[in-house]
Amino acid sequence: RVEMAFKGRRDLILFTTKRMIKVDIHGFMGIGKKVNYISIPWNVVQCFGVRSAGSFLDKDSEMFIWTDIDDVFWPPKEKNGDQETQPPPIPRMSFIECDFQKDKVDLMAIHRYLSERCLRVQGGGYLAPEVPVDPSVIQAAGNVEKFFEWLGNDARCLPASQIEEQLKSTNPMLQTDEHVVM
């Protein structure tokens, strides 16, 4: 069952109860279209993150997924005069980045969804594929601007209860079994 879907300029991302599917379309103006269908089961996701767009020049926000799929490609060493240098590794399926158009996607809804789908649940284990993510998790419950406004530029000590309230209500990032303790 598809729970969330995103269409980019030429790509499509689907979050299902079992996996993330990325449809990556290559080609220019319909000439030589090549399509990659990438399926990432939720049980291989090790880490995830989202990044909001920066200034008015930054047009994209991003989502990052790190997996335990060990397919890092190590390019052969390159000869540079008398020395051999190793080019950086290419992560391929161990790291997936998805770009979203600025202000078109609720990044915190994506973060909440990934938290529900990928983090351990109470009692151990993960959310079973036959269990859908509660729709209230996906719906916008606040916005990033309110969160940054709350953080502000004035460094100060905050009580744990105030931080927990903020991270569970205005900008929900914590799951029900997570608590702020300082």
Side-chain angles (χ1 to χ4, degrees):
R1 176 176 156 213
V2 175
E3 296 183 302
M4 290 182 91
F6 310 96
K7 184 179 181 322
R9 290 173 185 88
R10 294 185 306 173
D11 298 342
L12 178 68
I13 298 168
L14 304 171
F15 289 168
T16 76
T17 54
K18 294 182 179 184
R19 60 191 169 166
M20 177 184 91
I21 300 170
K22 183 175 182 184
V23 181
D24 191 7
I25 301 173
H26 301 275
F28 180 68
M29 296 178 63
I31 301 171
K33 280 192 178 178
K34 179 169 94 173
V35 181
N36 289 341
Y37 296 91
I38 302 165
S39 180
I40 304 292
W42 292 123
N43 65 347
V44 302
V45 174
Q46 295 294 305
C47 183
F48 59 86
V50 295
R51 177 172 41 206
S52 64
S55 68
F56 66 94
L57 295 175
D58 189 2
K59 301 285 187 214
D60 293 331
S61 52
E62 294 97 15
M63 172 187 71
F64 309 105
I65 303 269
W66 288 267
T67 72
D68 65 359
I69 299 171
D70 187 14
D71 75 336
V72 175
F73 174 70
W74 295 89
K77 290 185 178 182
E78 297 173 346
K79 206 96 158 114
N80 190 2
D82 293 340
Q83 296 182 347
E84 284 188 349
T85 58
Q86 179 72 50
I90 301 167
R92 296 195 291 198
M93 299 309 300
S94 62
F95 175 73
I96 297 158
E97 181 178 354
C98 301
D99 293 336
F100 301 111
Q101 192 173 348
K102 183 179 181 177
D103 300 328
K104 299 288 183 189
V105 173
D106 183 353
L107 282 177
M108 297 320 300
I110 293 171
H111 191 279
R112 289 189 301 272
Y113 177 85
L114 292 172
S115 295
E116 289 290 318
R117 186 52 70 196
C118 300
L119 297 179
R120 291 183 180 270
V121 296
Q122 288 179 347
Y126 299 94
L127 194 61
E130 59 273 8
V131 178
V133 169
D134 183 350
S136 67
V137 168
I138 299 169
Q139 295 168 0
N143 57 34
V144 177
E145 289 77 22
K146 284 184 183 176
F147 182 66
F148 288 134
E149 187 178 295
W150 175 73
L151 282 177
N153 289 327
D154 53 340
R156 63 191 187 282
C157 183
L158 296 171
S161 60
Q162 185 180 357
I163 296 169
E164 184 166 331
E165 172 65 26
Q166 182 71 23
L167 295 178
K168 284 191 176 187
S169 63
T170 306
N171 199 14
M173 291 184 69
L174 297 179
Q175 292 184 296
T176 55
D177 62 338
E178 290 183 295
H179 301 283
V180 176
V181 179
M182 299 190 309

